[in-house]
Amino acid sequence: MDWQKGERSENVEVDSGSGGSRFGGGRGLGLGGIVILAILGLVFFKDPTALLGQVDNGGQVAAPSGQPADVDPQTKDFVSAILGSTEKTWGDIFAAHGRQYVDPKLDLFSGGVDTACGAASTAVGPFYCPGDQKVYLDVAFFQELENRFHASGDFARAYVIAHEVGHHVQNLLGIFDQVEQARRRGAPMEGADGLSVRQELQADCFAGVWAYHSQQRLQWLQPGDIEAALNAASKIGDDALQQQAQGRVVPDSFTHGTSAQRVKWFRAGFESGDIASCNTFAGQP
């Protein structure tokens, strides 16, 4: 991937470090704290205890310790180029539909970070917080992507960023609100047919739409790049991760979709370049 061709974004921030904040104000966690944990889990579609770190003996939730992110110039330049290309792509698509695209910020952090959605640790992986319209990316994740998931290459890393930006697009389109309303009506979040899976697969499809339009504009993909993105998508499917972690697959606890589904929906976006092809909420995901 000739990522140097990408437009540079001015919305990449290097985190100065965070930590030490606590939820609970010196009292036990209580019902309010439990509600906060539940909301955070739904927002991130992750285990809330991984997001917030450990509950101490006093029942307080301690924010994970953060430190100033040590970002090498090339990594920041790469992230800026990918984010800039998403800004151009989605700016054009929104304009074509008579809407204005609001650029998200991207925060590069190390260890832990405070967000408008709560305090998150590096265990969360990359995520998007609708509360502050920011994508959060731990600087060590790219290395983990290669070492743990065996997904290497610049375009695999770019896919991860584009997926999180896809959640920002969902937020701007009101999909986050629609999912929340459906959840309140009793629609299940987890499970192979749950809303969480459908929302994550749509973000994969939106990443494919970005890949299509950025390639049309920049001609920056090289042989093997699409395969690298598809490989990354396949390595982080719920079934693959569960098999790796516990030796068995539990569809009832799916939150992101299977490897095959993630590949399928990225392809749908990339082959069509049309957000209309990304309706993962209709029919079987």
Side-chain angles (χ1 to χ4, degrees):
M1 179 185 192
D2 190 3
W3 60 265
Q4 290 86 355
K5 290 182 177 180
E7 306 90 342
R8 297 316 192 258
S9 171
E10 297 182 354
N11 292 309
V12 177
E13 304 173 345
V14 177
D15 203 87
S16 60
S18 62
S21 63
R22 292 176 180 268
F23 293 89
R27 295 176 296 176
L29 189 60
L31 178 60
I34 293 171
V35 171
I36 290 173
L37 287 173
I39 291 173
L40 285 165
L42 290 170
V43 168
F44 291 144
F45 306 119
K46 308 274 187 179
D47 176 3
T49 59
L51 294 174
L52 294 174
Q54 302 297 319
V55 178
D56 65 20
N57 291 332
Q60 295 174 321
V61 181
S65 176
Q67 56 192 358
D70 183 15
V71 184
D72 68 85
Q74 184 172 0
T75 297
K76 183 178 179 182
D77 193 35
F78 170 79
V79 171
S80 177
I82 303 305
L83 187 64
S85 73
T86 67
E87 292 168 353
K88 173 62 176 172
T89 293
W90 290 110
D92 289 348
I93 291 174
F94 270 55
H97 289 81
R99 303 186 60 159
Q100 182 175 1
Y101 180 69
V102 179
D103 297 339
K105 301 287 187 180
L106 190 150
D107 186 293
L108 292 169
F109 72 94
S110 180
V113 64
D114 288 324
T115 82
C117 298
S121 75
T122 187
V124 178
F127 65 92
Y128 171 72
C129 173
D132 52 24
Q133 297 193 3
K134 282 187 181 182
V135 172
Y136 289 89
L137 176 65
D138 190 290
V139 295
F141 178 76
F142 287 157
Q143 194 62 47
E144 181 184 16
L145 189 65
E146 183 171 350
N147 294 343
R148 178 185 173 190
F149 300 111
H150 308 292
S152 59
D154 290 332
F155 196 63
R157 292 186 278 268
Y159 152 75
V160 171
I161 296 172
H163 171 91
E164 299 306 332
V165 171
H167 285 311
H168 177 64
V169 173
Q170 291 175 320
N171 191 27
L172 296 181
L173 293 177
I175 294 170
F176 269 57
D177 291 337
Q178 293 172 28
V179 167
E180 173 61 13
Q181 291 168 10
R183 182 191 70 82
R184 291 178 178 178
R185 293 194 298 268
M189 292 297 296
E190 292 188 352
D193 198 40
L195 293 175
S196 175
V197 166
R198 294 175 183 275
Q199 190 164 8
E200 292 294 335
L201 293 176
Q202 186 176 63
D204 281 329
C205 189
F206 284 170
V209 170
W210 157 79
Y212 170 88
H213 287 280
S214 65
Q215 172 65 1
Q216 293 296 308
R217 186 173 66 255
L218 299 172
Q219 295 297 308
W220 61 352
L221 297 185
Q222 298 169 336
D225 281 341
I226 292 299
E227 289 76 10
L230 295 176
N231 177 56
S234 69
K235 293 297 177 61
I236 54 179
D238 283 324
D239 52 345
L241 292 176
Q242 289 183 354
Q243 186 66 42
Q244 181 188 59
Q246 59 196 33
R248 62 192 180 96
V249 176
V250 185
D252 287 346
S253 65
F254 282 0
T255 59
H256 284 63
T258 66
S259 296
Q261 287 174 320
R262 302 200 71 167
V263 169
K264 166 190 169 181
W265 285 103
F266 177 85
R267 280 191 181 276
F270 181 70
E271 292 174 359
S272 69
D274 186 0
I275 61 174
S277 68
C278 296
N279 186 4
T280 57
F281 293 91
Q284 291 299 311

